[in-house]
Amino acid sequence: MDRPSATEREPEDPEAPGDPGDPGDSGERAPVGAGVIDTRGLTKRYRGGQLAVDGLDLTVPAGSVFGFLGPNGSGKTTTIRMLMGLIAPTSGTARVLGQPMPRASRVVLPQVGALIEGPALYGFLSGRDNLLRYDAADPAADPRTRRARVEAALDRVGLAAAAAKKAKAYSLGMKQRLGLAAALLQPRKLLVLDEPTNGLDPQGMREIRALVRELAGDGTTVFLSSHLLDEIEQVCTHAAVMAQGRLIAQGAVADLVAGARGRLVVTTPDPLEAARVLKEQGVADVVVAEDRVTGEPPERDLAEVNAALVTAGVRVRGFTVERASLEDAFVALTGEGFDVAG
């Protein structure tokens, strides 16, 4: 059977402070205009000295769809668990909806829908009965409208036809959908999703992306951790990049992408000669793939590079700079490829 509750706090870390709500926290209200999520100097060090999150200053704007990116071991999941009050920080502060966490968990969590490290389900219950139990555990939920809310949530994530099926017989993708449905039983100010499309087929991924956009359009702030860079680029308005427990960059996705240089692409029936000339012209990371030669554009005028190709007898069929992607920005910021293990 799966874990019974996504919001139960885990046992305190052996090296966590005696009062987990207090590390560096004055208890004052967040200033007007602060983000839906704000961290300052947020740090988590585990037993043995492992530094999982190091001095994180993160701001998630209200109404944004915020992508949280980072390679394996970068501290993403540890950060999310601190934000949700599941573990205490070693130092620094975290505020969610203007309240200090984990001290204000009982006030904050009813306003937050969360799907973290996979859904926590009762395998012996049907999908519908799992949601009924989730809703019954919410003291703010009106029991008179419970069944209507459950049916609406099932329909919203495409599980209405499988509602009577036991959760233990669900596929991974169906479990992800059911966990998301649980997070949507009540209107939420903030939705925290850790790999929400894990296990979904392409159509399911498109449906979840559309749902996230719909929720954001209704005013819900969505905080989304994903190892799929194209997913983040398609659905997120803002993003943060983590590496080795530290924040590398954050901001609007368009601004992050604009800070990365695109790839120079030359289409030619003479790819090997083109590659030689491009290297001579200062083009770095030259890659030959059939009739396409790509590389990092040099600082010099690209018209001169094109002229050099023509002068060398290279038959140029196409010469362009492709727009940078979020993956290009990620590699430029971290100096490494993206580890899909996340």
Side-chain angles (χ1 to χ4, degrees), residues 294-316:
T294 66
E296 296 179 5
E299 296 297 334
R300 63 186 306 175
D301 187 349
L302 292 181
E304 296 178 4
V305 177
N306 193 17
L309 288 167
V310 174
T311 300
V314 175
R315 292 168 290 176
V316 178

Side-chain angles (χ1 to χ4, degrees), residues 135-154:
D135 196 74
D138 185 348
D142 184 348
R144 295 170 298 180
T145 56
R146 178 164 296 142
R147 288 197 171 272
R149 285 197 308 279
V150 166
E151 296 305 322
L154 287 165

Side-chain angles (χ1 to χ4, degrees), residues 69-83:
L69 296 168
N72 187 36
S74 63
K76 302 192 308 300
T77 297
T78 299
T79 299
I80 291 174
R81 292 171 72 196
M82 286 191 284
L83 293 174

